[in-house]
Amino acid sequence: METNKKKLASDLRQKAENVIKLNPRRANSKLSEAEALKLVHDLEVHQVELEILNNELVLAKEQAELVAEKYINLYEFAPSGYFTLSREGEIMECNLRGAEILGKERSFVKGQRFDYFVSVESKAIFNQFSDQVFKGKEKQNCEPILKTNKPHTQVLLSGLIDDKSENCLVTMVDITERKRTENALIRSEIELKKAQQITHIGSWYLDLSTNQVVWTEELYKMYGFDPSLPPPPYSEHQKLFTPESWEVLSSSLANTTITGIPYELELKTVRKDCSFGWMWVRGETITDGEGKTVGLWGAAQDISERKLREQELVKALEHAEESDRLKSAFLANMSHEIRTPMNGILGFSELLKDPDLTGEEQG
């Protein structure tokens, strides 16, 4: 800081001497003693003013250098890539993170066209993004795939034209992992949906604070509702079950909410078209970080076909038992009818065998 002060004072002195040299009248004018004393006083005051001004200038310069250093550090070591592109797409400026995402040294990146690093399948997306940035004042976004030393690097570009409408200021964020996670989640949702379709299982969630209900698509099908519409509010769920089943379900929900013990039930349902069906249901609590129950989650499986087969089997068993009863009654009756004349015949046979009977008696 002291060195800066001396340099500024020396520069100011040199400028003052140059002014005097260019103005001989000021240098050769004769002054009275009073005027000389006043001039010395004024010069001393002015010198103090200059010193104060000089100190303020030095302080302002140091602050400006500190702010510039902070800005440079923020720019260079930011987690996002920063680029300045010309209208022709040439990279004029680039921070360290930007070069790192591109997988190149910054010295190589500067001067290259940005589309050099864009994959073939994303060229059209990037070109449209660039055109829209230079056509308007609004921020534009795109998600191209880049050509880097890493496979399938995808980034989010946000661009805005500068105040002079000459260059494009671009931020770049590596979203490769985020996209992978999103794609994995989409695949999981598709697989879950297919699994629920195959097994006829749906799931639901009830928010206890709002009584808001969420259904999966398969659950809509079980109740006969349109999946594109919101499910009926919880207050109307009583209509989806027979009175007996709703009484069992509502008491089980209340008990699970209080105790946290899951329930499993088989309930008779009433579809939207007023036809009946059967569901196997299981419900569990969902708690917050403090262990407080905030919702209920459950699964439901359509068991209507199984119940129908069970009813058919019961009817078949009842029919078989009735047939068996009738057969037993028929055989018993036939046995009685057959035994009655046979007993007479057998009795006569025994009499004929009696040796004491005369020939006339046997006849």
Side-chain angles (χ1 to χ4, degrees):
M1 181 174 178
E2 190 65 30
T3 303
N4 290 335
K5 287 183 179 180
K6 290 181 179 179
K7 187 175 186 304
L8 288 173
S10 175
D11 292 343
L12 187 62
R13 179 63 178 268
Q14 185 63 43
K15 290 179 181 179
E17 289 180 354
N18 291 337
V19 170
I20 292 175
K21 287 180 181 178
L22 294 174
N23 192 352
R25 291 181 59 187
R26 174 179 290 187
N28 297 329
S29 59
K30 295 182 179 180
L31 302 173
S32 65
E33 184 177 354
E35 289 175 336
L37 291 174
K38 184 176 182 304
L39 180 59
V40 169
H41 174 74
D42 290 342
L43 288 173
E44 289 177 346
V45 172
H46 187 56
Q47 182 180 0
V48 173
E49 290 176 345
L50 289 175
E51 288 177 353
I52 294 173
L53 179 60
N54 181 54
N55 290 336
E56 291 177 351
L57 288 174
V58 170
L59 181 60
K61 182 180 178 183
E62 289 178 348
Q63 291 177 342
E65 290 175 350
L66 182 61
V67 170
E69 184 179 358
K70 289 181 178 179
Y71 169 77
I72 291 172
N73 289 334
L74 286 173
Y75 177 81
E76 292 292 0
F77 302 106
S80 302
Y82 293 118
F83 297 85
T84 302
L85 307 182
S86 68
R87 285 184 173 271
E88 291 73 29
E90 180 182 339
I91 300 175
M92 303 174 66
E93 295 293 340
C94 168
N95 70 341
L96 293 174
R97 177 57 179 159
E100 180 184 355
I101 295 175
L102 295 179
K104 300 291 182 180
E105 294 291 335
R106 182 160 56 172
S107 58
F108 175 83
V109 171
K110 292 179 67 173
Q112 295 282 354
R113 287 175 57 91
F114 192 90
D115 59 6
Y116 169 84
F117 302 98
V118 178
S119 65
V120 175
E121 62 266 32
S122 296
K123 290 281 187 183
I125 297 175
F126 174 75
N127 291 337
Q128 183 181 14
F129 160 81
S130 182
D131 291 341
Q132 289 176 343
V133 168
F134 283 106
K135 283 180 180 178
K137 296 291 184 180
E138 296 182 358
K139 184 176 72 172
Q140 302 294 330
N141 300 302
C142 72
E143 297 182 358
I145 297 173
L146 303 182
K147 295 185 299 184
T148 68
N149 53 4
K150 297 180 181 179
H152 198 87
T153 299
Q154 190 165 4
V155 296
L156 169 64
L157 298 181
S158 298
L160 186 67
I161 198 168
D162 65 7
D163 295 336
K164 297 181 180 179
S165 299
E166 294 179 355
N167 301 316
C168 171
L169 305 177
V170 177
T171 62
M172 181 168 68
V173 179
D174 189 342
I175 59 172
T176 306
E177 289 302 320
R178 191 191 81 188
K179 281 295 181 180
R180 287 175 183 166
T181 303
E182 289 177 358
N183 292 335
L185 180 60
I186 291 172
R187 287 195 300 272
S188 296
E189 290 177 349
I190 293 173
E191 291 171 358
L192 175 62
K193 183 178 179 180
K194 288 182 178 179
Q196 290 192 349
Q197 289 174 347
I198 294 171
T199 58
H200 299 292
I201 293 178
S203 57
W204 53 270
Y205 171 74
L206 170 63
D207 188 328
L208 293 178
S209 63
T210 62
N211 273 349
Q212 183 178 1
V213 182
V214 178
W215 287 355
T216 60
E217 185 174 336
E218 193 64 21
L219 201 57
Y220 279 90
K221 295 179 181 178
M222 294 184 199
Y223 288 119
F225 285 85
D226 185 354
S228 64
L229 300 176
Y234 180 69
S235 57
E236 297 183 13
H237 281 203
Q238 182 176 354
K239 301 176 183 178
L240 304 177
F241 301 90
T242 61
E244 298 80 8
S245 290
W246 175 252
E247 183 178 354
V248 174
L249 176 60
S250 57
S251 61
S252 298
L253 284 168
N255 182 66
T256 297
T257 303
I258 297 171
T259 65
I261 301 174
Y263 65 84
E264 287 190 23
L265 305 169
E266 289 187 358
L267 305 173
K268 192 172 185 179
T269 61
V270 181
R271 301 188 184 97
K272 190 176 182 182
D273 61 2
C274 296
S275 63
F276 293 100
W278 282 90
M279 280 186 185
W280 167 88
V281 297
R282 176 182 172 86
E284 301 177 356
T285 57
I286 295 178
T287 56
D288 59 14
E290 299 177 353
K292 179 183 177 182
T293 299
V294 295
L296 292 169
W297 176 93
Q301 184 175 27
D302 188 348
I303 59 172
S304 301
E305 291 186 8
R306 193 196 82 189
K307 280 292 184 179
L308 180 61
R309 289 195 297 269
E310 287 178 357
Q311 292 172 359
E312 291 174 349
L313 287 172
V314 169
K315 289 180 180 179
L317 180 60
E318 291 175 350
H319 180 71
E321 290 175 347
E322 178 66 15
S323 298
D324 187 61
R325 186 185 67 78
L326 292 174
K327 183 181 72 173
S328 298
F330 172 77
L331 293 175
N333 183 58
M334 287 297 295
S335 177
H336 175 73
E337 294 295 332
I338 293 171
R339 281 199 306 269
T340 299
M342 286 297 293
N343 287 336
I345 295 171
L346 292 173
F348 283 118
S349 298
E350 292 297 324
L351 286 174
L352 291 173
K353 293 179 181 180
D354 189 349
D356 296 330
L357 289 179
T358 64
E360 184 180 349
E361 289 176 339
Q362 290 180 354

